[in-house]
Structure formats: C-alpha cells, structure tokens
Amino acid sequence: MAGFTLIELLVTITMVAIISGAAVSLFRSQSTSLMANTDRFDLLQNARSAIEGSGRMIRTMGAGTPGGQPVMVYGGGDVLAFNADYVERDTVDMRWAAYFNPDAPTGEDEAWDAATAAAIPNSAPSYTYPTTTYRLGNGGVSPAETHILFLQPDATTPRGDDLVLYEQVNNGTPEVLARNILPHPNGHPFFEYLMRRADPSGETVMVVPNDELPLIRRPLSGALSATDSANFVRPDSVRAVRLNFRVTNGRLGTAERFRDISTTIEVPNNGIALPTVCGRPPIEPSALTVVDTVPGSGRLWVTWPASADQGGGERDVRQYILYRRSISAGSWSSPVVVIRAEPGTMSYTVMLSDNVPGTSYTFGIAAQDCTPAQSILHTVDVTASIGP
C-alpha cells in the first residue's frame, strides 16, 4: 500500500494548524464575549440590588410607627436608620406590615428592645439607640422595627477601595444588599436628604448640607432650649432620600465596568402624626347568627353586625376575624376567614361551604384594631344538618 508523500503530510499539517488556530481564536472570542456579558449582567444585578433593595425599605419609612416612636432615627452620609413596620412573621395577630416573612428572625419584626440597645453603625460621634422600648397605647411593643442601611469596606475583593451596602434590623446580624460599590464621582455622599424648608419665596425642598449632618431624631423634653428642640425634630422635615454611588463589576484596569447611580426616593410617611386611638381592645360584635339553609350541603351562612367601635367610639376597627372549631376541640385553630371592615357597612355575611354534615361547631367572631388588639369572641354553637 502506498503511503503519504512528504508534501501531502506538510499540506495536511498546515491545514490542521490553520483550522486549530481558527477554532482557538473563535473559542477565545466567545469566552471573552461570555465573560463580558457575565460582568455586565453581574453589574446590572448588583445595581438592581442596591437600588431596589434599599429603595423598597426607605419608601416604607414611618409606616406603622405609633405616636412617640421616631420615624427617621439617624441620617448620615454613609448610614441611614429609620423605623417602619416593614416585616411581620406572625399570622395570628394579623398585623399590617409591608410584607409577611415567616422566616424573619425573632425580635426583628417589632420595635428594638432598649435592653439590647447598641451604637448605630458609622454614627459619629457614636449614637446609641434606642433609649426606650417604644410601645402601643395598650402597652404592647410597637410593630415598627428599626432598619439601618450602611456602607463599610469590602475585605473580600482584591480592589481594596470598594464597599459593601449592608442592611441591619434592630440589633440583628447585618446582611449584604450589594457589593462592589464606590463613591459617586460627583463627590456627593452616599445618602443625601431633601428637607422641607422655608425661604423668602415660600416653602421649598433643598438638600441638607454635609456640614449639617448627621440628622438625629432625639426625644423632646421641657428642659430643652428652643435651638435644641428645633435640631432634634429636623429629621421630621425630610421629604426624600437621594442615593448616590458607583457600582462596578469588581475588576480593575481595562476589565473594569461601572455604572453611576443617583436616584431619589420619597418618604411620604415621615413627619406625619399618626393617630394613637388604638390601644384598648375594640368592642366585640353584639351578635352572631349561623343559618343552615340547605340541609346536608355543609353550607352555613354566618352573619354579624358591625362592632360599636367601627363607626363610633374609637373608630379603629380594621377587620373582623371569624373562628371555627368543633365543639369537642379544646382550643381555637387558625382563623377561618378575615373580613376587612368597610366604612358604612353595618352587617357582614360570609358563606362557609366546608362544614361536615352532622358535626357540631362553635363559631366565634372578633373585631380587631390597628394595634392589632382583638376583642373578646362572640360565640355561638351550631350543628350542621345531615339532610332530609
């Protein structure tokens, strides 16, 4: 059998080298493109985490804070602390937080206990908070927890000049919101505060100068001077918080990618006096009627009148909670249904279709206010009919 000539071998080797070189070049190009797209995606994700993560919380500043509890606690160039009923982990009391998280750490879904008071991160001079455990009118702990956003150097990257944006709730463990953050090139602080002020042309909103920071909302007392009192309540005039920073992909040199961010977040709840009528448990509905209209169907119609505190008295009824248990059960289980109290509605009716014919039940209805205290239960015993 004839073999390959030297020329044929050289041609083959040359063609293999050309094809291999093209393949390697294509692979490198695709790898570089993939890395660039990955860096760009990481950059956008980091920017989104910084903006949405912090902005979502800042917008709720002051929500659910009872009278006496400050809204903005501390405002500095690299730290912002405020109170808000942002998270709830308890489904039994049906609180009015911004969202529900059953995995929230215990103690981080209500006001910061003064027994665990600590210095606000980055506060200068060091400011310890809180001096008291804020409570509702009925003595219960306020549902508004303290949220702290602050920046500190990131020791996990090779840059050495980037920062981490943390969130801390009360005295809990700080959690990372975003990494690879640098100061904004315009020289403005990470947190700026737009405050309502009066000038010769009327009321206006302007940025608080750096030399007037930090803003610290301190408790007022009769022994304070007029100047101190004015300084202590200045945080109540903040109407928006502006975020300024540069987000990078964590690389250096020609591989660095960045995006400059400056966004303003309004805080409409700040400085608004919230009603404090809640505190005493509301009056329970005066009656509860259960009607079995179709024997054997398991459908029962439950009706009750509005509480006297819905349209009169403290006028603080937020909702009605309907409970059901078999007469043989020793305790109440979770609510069957929750009905929002509607102004002007004097009677409420719901139909429950999952009752077992022949079973004896006890139904209970309670009114609930915004603390969220519940009235005592108005109960009635009923046996679901078996049928004709």
Side-chain angles (χ1 to χ4, degrees):
M1 179 181 291
F4 294 104
T5 65
L6 180 60
I7 294 177
E8 290 175 330
L9 287 174
L10 290 175
V11 170
T12 301
I13 292 173
T14 301
M15 293 180 63
V16 170
I18 293 173
I19 295 173
S20 298
V24 170
S25 178
L26 178 62
F27 175 77
R28 286 179 176 175
S29 175
Q30 292 296 323
S31 178
T32 301
S33 177
L34 177 61
M35 183 174 295
N37 288 334
T38 300
D39 285 346
R40 189 178 299 110
F41 178 77
D42 290 343
L43 175 66
L44 294 176
Q45 283 292 92
N46 202 42
R48 185 176 295 112
S49 296
I51 296 173
E52 295 182 358
S54 56
R56 187 184 305 114
M57 286 181 288
I58 293 173
R59 286 188 183 90
T60 65
M61 181 187 301
T65 55
Q69 185 176 17
V71 175
M72 179 181 289
V73 174
Y74 189 100
D78 58 358
V79 57
L80 168 62
F82 58 90
N83 289 316
D85 186 10
Y86 182 70
V87 64
E88 177 55 59
R89 64 193 300 271
D90 183 3
T91 59
V92 176
D93 283 340
M94 306 293 178
R95 290 178 174 170
W96 299 87
Y99 82 101
F100 169 70
N101 179 13
D103 298 322
T106 302
E108 294 186 13
D109 59 341
E110 61 184 12
W112 192 344
D113 193 329
T116 62
I120 298 294
N122 295 351
S123 59
S126 180
Y127 180 64
T128 299
Y129 180 87
T131 57
T132 184
T133 302
Y134 291 97
R135 298 184 177 276
L136 301 167
N138 65 351
V141 177
S142 164
E145 61 275 4
T146 302
H147 294 265
I148 309 172
L149 301 173
F150 64 98
L151 295 110
Q152 288 190 345
D154 190 350
T156 65
T157 68
R159 289 190 58 110
D161 61 346
D162 50 352
L163 304 167
V164 182
L165 176 62
Y166 287 101
E167 179 211 359
Q168 177 179 317
V169 181
N170 294 346
N171 196 26
T173 302
E175 295 187 358
V176 175
L177 279 183
R179 293 186 181 275
N180 301 320
I181 294 177
L182 300 175
H184 197 282
N186 65 8
H188 290 267
F190 293 101
F191 297 106
E192 285 187 308
Y193 306 94
L194 281 69
M195 179 179 290
R196 183 182 62 192
R197 286 185 173 176
D199 64 12
S201 62
E203 192 174 87
T204 187
V205 175
M206 61 182 62
V207 176
V208 178
N210 292 343
D211 59 3
E212 294 186 13
L213 298 179
L215 300 173
I216 306 177
R217 182 57 164 93
R218 302 177 186 269
L220 299 178
S221 69
L224 295 174
S225 66
T227 300
D228 286 341
S229 296
N231 289 334
F232 287 4
V233 298
R234 282 173 61 221
D236 292 346
S237 297
V238 171
R239 289 295 171 262
V241 178
R242 181 178 295 156
L243 307 181
N244 305 294
F245 46 84
R246 168 173 285 183
V247 178
T248 78
N249 60 352
R251 299 179 181 272
L252 293 171
T254 58
E256 181 184 32
R257 300 291 183 271
F258 61 84
R259 176 164 294 190
D260 296 332
I261 295 174
S262 183
T263 183
T264 301
I265 303 167
E266 295 184 2
V267 288
N269 294 315
N270 189 34
I272 298 177
L274 299 180
T276 57
V277 295
C278 292
R280 295 177 299 178
I283 299 173
E284 75 276 12
S286 59
L288 179 63
T289 303
V290 181
V291 179
D292 188 346
T293 56
V294 183
S297 66
R299 295 194 297 270
L300 298 177
W301 294 86
V302 185
T303 303
W304 66 91
S307 164
D309 273 339
Q310 176 180 314
E314 291 187 335
R315 299 179 183 272
D316 60 353
V317 174
R318 292 285 188 89
Q319 61 188 15
Y320 296 95
I321 304 177
L322 180 64
Y323 294 90
R324 177 187 60 190
R325 69 181 182 191
S326 64
I327 290 182
S328 60
S331 60
W332 297 101
S333 58
S334 299
V336 178
V337 67
V338 177
I339 301 295
R340 191 176 188 87
E342 298 292 343
T345 301
M346 303 309 296
S347 179
Y348 298 85
T349 299
V350 296
M351 189 272 287
L352 303 179
S353 60
D354 58 345
N355 303 283
V356 179
T359 301
S360 297
Y361 295 99
T362 298
F363 288 86
I365 188 69
Q368 187 180 58
D369 66 13
C370 56
T371 59
Q374 289 188 28
S375 70
I376 63 174
L377 284 173
H378 190 106
T379 63
V380 64
D381 295 337
V382 174
T383 299
S385 60
I386 296 177

